[in-house]
Amino acid sequence: MRRAMAEAEVGDDVFGEDPTVRRLEKVVAEVLGKEAALFVPSGVMGNQIALRLHTRPGDEVVVAERSHLYHYEGGAPAALWGVQLRPIGGPSGVLSPDDVEAVVRGDVDWEPRTTLVCLENTVNKAGGVVVPPEAIAPVADVARRHGLALHLDGARLWNAAAALDLPAHVLAAPFDTVTVCLSKGLGAPVGSVLAGGAAHVREARRTRKLLGGGMRQVGVLAAAGLVALDDRDRLADDHARAGRLADAVAALPAFRLVTRPQSNIVLFDTLRHPAPDVVARLEAEGVRVVAFGPRTVRATLHRDVDDAALDRAVAVLRRLFS
């Protein structure tokens, strides 16, 4: 990956002249079955650009209560675009058509207009829950019947595709726009891609500039993304290691699994110590996890955690928390 970055052919991407970026965008658009795509510095920027494409100030956006948009994007929908989020649904982060049908608004002057439904796949805050096509289709049907746009926060869409053994374009098909991440499990140092129709992506380029996301010789980053995409078959290894880690955690009396992992994320509750204390004790031993609540910890498997590293992490867990 670093060699590809060093050897990347570059140009000025603000002028659309970087051939490596163009190649990355073409590849992602083809893999997702969309007309066009746009490289952006982060998944948050990709999601926020999509919100601007599909909404006007005062509109309402339907999201899952567990969604990244609601919890982890700094209030950007309100701060940047003047739209409000309507969080719905339960702890799985998977919306039902009835959930969406019940909250669509805008028929009367004193209600905000619902204009967009955003789904996430996999659902980070639910522990990497995978959303299959049969769960997406009925929600998309409701959205279309009401004339609503659909956006997918697919930061971990590659993991969902690997877990379901499906092409990514099958999961992306119902959506007007899709954001995918090149870091996360794929391991590129920087970058996400927003894909959709050609007109949407053309307008997205303008919004990217508005947000300060236009960069110059960014092919050095896009080259890493191309390497990452070529290696996405290995995501199944992360999922298998997540299962092994979950088994080890479940066997320790200090912890309780929140849910059985479906992809590369393991969520567990701490029964003896506050989550920040567990995080600090593990970090002191070279095992890095994050607190996901006062008593909840998230561990994520990715390309830098091989079998030997996992074995070391499990040994530390057993030594500290048996």
Side-chain angles (χ1 to χ4, degrees), residues 254-255 270-278 281 294-295 320-321:
F255 304 128
T270 63
L271 305 180
R272 296 177 179 173
H273 311 281
D277 291 354
V278 172
R281 292 179 67 183
R295 291 277 177 177
L320 294 180
F321 300 106

Side-chain angles (χ1 to χ4, degrees), residues 194-243:
L194 175 67
H200 276 143
V201 171
R202 178 66 192 88
E203 185 62 24
R205 176 174 288 275
R206 175 178 288 274
T207 303
R208 184 186 70 175
K209 184 66 176 175
L210 180 153
L211 295 173
M215 297 181 286
R216 301 297 178 176
Q217 286 72 36
V218 75
V220 295
L221 300 177
L226 285 164
V227 173
L229 286 173
D230 283 343
D231 201 24
R232 63 186 185 275
D233 287 347
R234 54 152 299 283
L235 291 173
D237 297 336
D238 293 340
H239 300 176
R241 293 186 183 111

Side-chain angles (χ1 to χ4, degrees), residues 32-211:
L32 296 180
K34 302 301 182 186
E35 289 182 338
L38 181 71
F39 181 82
V40 292
S42 71
V44 170
M45 184 179 288
N47 286 339
Q48 293 307 315
I49 290 172
L51 259 62
R52 187 176 196 244
L53 294 175
H54 301 305
T55 66
R56 297 174 298 177
D59 285 353
E60 186 165 82
V61 179
V62 177
V63 299
E65 191 282 330
R66 293 296 174 102
S67 70
H68 192 279
L69 270 165
Y70 181 54
H71 286 277
Y72 302 124
E73 303 201 5
L80 295 176
W81 316 125
V83 301
Q84 64 187 33
L85 302 183
R86 179 69 179 269
I88 62 174
S92 73
V94 180
L95 298 184
S96 74
D98 290 342
D99 291 335
V100 176
E101 185 78 54
V103 299
V104 176
R105 300 198 284 176
D107 288 341
V108 293
D109 292 344
W110 51 87
E111 291 181 342
R113 289 188 180 95
T114 305
T115 53
L116 175 64
V117 177
C118 291
L119 303 185
E120 184 178 337
N121 203 4
T122 64
V123 186
N124 174 30
K125 193 170 176 62
V129 166
V130 175
V131 188
E134 57 268 27
I136 298 170
V139 173
D141 288 345
V142 170
R144 297 305 183 203
R145 181 157 45 80
H146 287 283
L148 311 181
L150 282 160
H151 172 67
L152 175 63
D153 176 359
R156 295 174 175 82
L157 184 63
W158 314 120
N159 291 93
L164 294 167
D165 194 23
L166 287 173
H169 69 80
V170 172
L171 298 174
F175 297 92
D176 299 291
T177 50
V178 180
T179 302
V180 290
C181 192
L182 302 170
S183 56
K184 303 294 190 293
L186 295 185
V190 177
S192 290
V193 179
L194 175 67
H200 276 143
V201 171
R202 178 66 192 88
E203 185 62 24
R205 176 174 288 275
R206 175 178 288 274
T207 303
R208 184 186 70 175
K209 184 66 176 175
L210 180 153
L211 295 173

Side-chain angles (χ1 to χ4, degrees), residues 241 244-246 248-249 252 255 268 278 281-283 285-289 299-302 304-322:
R241 293 186 183 111
R244 287 176 51 202
L245 178 60
V249 167
L252 294 173
F255 304 128
F268 55 96
V278 172
R281 292 179 67 183
L282 288 172
E283 184 162 10
E285 298 285 342
V287 178
R288 304 193 71 185
V289 295
T300 304
L301 284 298
H302 50 83
D304 291 330
V305 181
D306 57 16
D307 287 332
L310 177 58
D311 289 343
R312 290 195 298 273
V314 168
V316 169
L317 282 163
R318 287 171 175 162
R319 175 162 52 82
L320 294 180
F321 300 106
S322 291

